[in-house]
Amino acid sequence: MENHTTTWNWDHSYIRLNKLLFSEVTPTPVPQPELLIYNSKLACELGLKQKIDESLLAQLAGNLMNEGIHPIAQAYAGHQFGHFNILGDGRAILLGEHLTPTNERFDIQLKGPGRTPYSRNGDGRATTSAMLREYLISEAMHGLHIPTTRSLAVIKTGDEVYREYVSEGAVLTRVAASHIRVGTFQYAAKYLPKEELSIFCNYVIQRHYPEVANDTNPPLAFLKKVQDKQIDLIVNWMRVGFIHGVMNTDNMSIPGETIDYGPCAFMNTYHPSTVFSSIDRNGRYAFGNQPSIAQWNSACLASALIPIIHEDKEEAVKLCQEVINEFPVIYEQRWAKMMCSKLGVLEEQAEDAELIKELLTWMEENHADYTNTFLQLTHSSEDHTGIYASNEFQSWFTHWKKRIAIYSMHDVNKLLSSSNPKFIPRNHLVEKALYQAANLNDFELFHTLLEVVQTPYDEHPKYDHFQEPPLDGDVGYKTYCGT
Ligand code: AMP
Ligand code: MG
């Protein structure tokens, strides 16, 4: 454990880019930094101290900018609910890029550190509850084996934050492959001359997709790669019932990580039109719309890249269109493969599409819980109760049993247990844990829930009740953005 005594190993490659892409800015010091949670395991992975000391605490609160930290706020734009806006880190500040002992590069960013030139009317601050929420859900996503930004620490500031009610403020340390978004390219395309857009694109290629650097058309190959990563990400969201809630182009990360845990939630009862976000009145970002929105976002990235894809704009559009048109085809293939894995089907066959469709239709008609339905597959039919004992489900179950009978049960069970989480962060538990932690300073439930959702494919016999959906379903459950 000796090697966990290193501190930062900064590099600041972003600062060497065009000055229009960021602003130098200092976090606003906070009166009383107090550690709420520190991710020792992640710290170890990063080659940082396993225990937070006073100096690191002060840095992560935004109070101490020493040891080579070079804080900036990044500029970006974005289509928010389909409308184009100029944005930027309004309540986030990048401390720099940290290189781990194995030479991996991670952005280290403070979320909630005070105003920046991009704050518009906002206060640049965040509530304790919202930052603990991001910590919990991002770590749950990591536990689910889904690419995501990580959370290193949450530090209470000692300041009040004014929302609909007065809350305590906190700063989250977010760790990401980078914070470069589709919206960053939209910004670059709008403000940078073509040559500079090209330099920026080459930088991002070198940083995230170096394998396309020598392609005959690197920006086009890059578009394909980013789209590919997005498809994998959305397929993963669909696997576990995750609803991002605000898939604006500024919240779509170029390295393909889940980013920005604002109004996100997990679906209990299966329905494609499920939406929890209070601001998503038309269900633009509903569960079942996520793939088509990701395609839409991919088209936004394509638009931004057009000037550097081909001299002839018409030709560039044509080349982009070919890539974007592939989205639904590739998505459908990967989704079907993923759904087969949720059924323990080792090699996909044509008839499986029907098996999947029948189950989803049954779930929708019977208001079945998405997560728990797949867990029923490891039980024998005598153990099925409630809606799972019904003739309809049993008939499907018999059909399914026949389908998987050609494989070894050992292999089927292995695939089932790696594709289907036993635990998701259930909305009602998340809310209860956050309420107790943020309002009553009682972290017991927060810590147990965190532990369980960090290893969601394992058994947690003491916490079987965490698998239960709320008694009244999700009626009236709402999530809020940017709190
Ligand atoms: P989000 O909904 O978190 O993706 O944020 C959308 C935009 O609003 C981004 O440019 C954020 O930086 C900005 N923003 C969100 N909350 C605040 C805040 N409290 N103060 C300043 N800017 C904010
Ligand atoms: Mg955002």
Side-chain angles (χ1 to χ4, degrees), residues 76 80 86-92 111 114-115 118-126 163 181 246 248 250-251 260 262-263 481-483:
Y76 51 85
Q80 300 181 296
I86 301 302
L87 305 162
D89 288 334
R91 62 152 170 182
K111 196 167 171 183
R115 290 177 55 79
Y118 313 108
S119 296
R120 294 171 290 168
N121 298 321
D123 58 3
R125 292 291 183 197
R163 298 290 180 262
R181 308 138 193 269
V246 58
N248 295 335
D250 53 300
N251 289 338
D260 245 338
C481 211
T483 39

Side-chain angles (χ1 to χ4, degrees), residues 90-309:
R91 62 152 170 182
I93 291 176
L94 184 71
L95 299 185
E97 300 141 33
H98 168 70
L99 301 176
T100 70
T102 53
N103 221 27
E104 274 188 283
R105 181 182 297 265
F106 288 100
D107 270 10
I108 307 293
Q109 192 202 58
L110 303 185
K111 196 167 171 183
R115 290 177 55 79
T116 77
Y118 313 108
S119 296
R120 294 171 290 168
N121 298 321
D123 58 3
R125 292 291 183 197
T127 65
T128 301
S129 173
M131 295 305 95
L132 287 173
R133 190 169 200 277
E134 170 149 348
Y135 189 107
L136 180 67
I137 311 281
S138 62
E139 288 307 296
M141 292 298 268
H142 180 70
L144 287 163
H145 306 144
I146 300 180
T148 175
T149 63
R150 305 285 306 273
S151 298
L152 181 63
V154 179
I155 292 162
K156 208 155 89 169
T157 62
D159 252 341
E160 286 179 337
V161 173
Y162 302 92
R163 298 290 180 262
E164 286 133 57
Y165 43 87
V166 182
S167 296
E168 285 179 301
V171 178
L172 170 94
T173 308
R174 178 157 72 178
V175 179
S178 85
H179 288 83
I180 302 165
R181 308 138 193 269
V182 168
T184 318
F185 275 89
Q186 292 180 292
Y187 182 92
K190 187 169 167 68
Y191 292 113
L192 301 185
K194 191 173 134 187
E195 300 68 42
E196 290 289 317
L197 174 62
S198 184
I199 292 170
F200 178 63
C201 187
N202 287 339
Y203 165 83
V204 181
I205 287 175
Q206 282 305 335
R207 187 161 171 185
H208 294 303
Y209 301 97
E211 64 275 23
V212 305
N214 296 322
D215 196 278
T216 45
N217 190 337
L220 186 68
F222 166 72
L223 172 67
K224 255 191 222 176
K225 281 276 174 188
V226 175
Q227 174 166 288
D228 205 65
K229 273 274 169 79
Q230 287 299 336
I231 292 173
D232 282 341
L233 184 65
I234 307 296
V235 167
N236 256 317
W237 291 358
M238 304 310 274
R239 177 170 64 85
V240 301
F242 178 77
I243 304 168
H244 183 282
V246 58
M247 287 173 69
N248 295 335
T249 57
D250 53 300
N251 289 338
M252 297 304 283
S253 122
I254 293 293
E257 295 179 330
T258 312
I259 187 170
D260 245 338
Y261 293 88
C264 65
F266 281 79
M267 177 172 65
N268 291 314
T269 308
Y270 174 73
H271 202 292
S273 66
T274 308
V275 52
F276 295 116
S277 168
S278 61
I279 53 168
D280 192 2
R281 290 198 189 86
N282 302 316
R284 179 180 167 93
Y285 299 137
F287 179 68
N289 279 358
Q290 296 188 124
S292 55
I293 289 293
Q295 185 189 8
W296 195 90
N297 290 345
S298 199
C300 288
L301 177 62
S303 300
L305 294 171
I306 280 192
I308 54 171
I309 280 184

Side-chain angles (χ1 to χ4, degrees), residues 325-362:
N325 288 348
E326 284 174 3
F327 189 112
V329 183
I330 303 172
Y331 174 80
E332 282 304 325
Q333 284 166 358
R334 292 197 196 156
W335 179 82
K337 186 158 188 276
M338 174 278 286
M339 289 306 283
C340 278
S341 78
K342 282 179 82 68
L343 297 184
V345 168
L346 297 157
E347 300 133 339
E348 204 184 331
Q349 291 174 5
E351 69 192 79
D352 296 330
E354 197 52 32
L355 196 65
I356 295 165
K357 195 167 154 232
E358 277 171 21
L359 180 64
L360 290 176
T361 308
W362 177 85

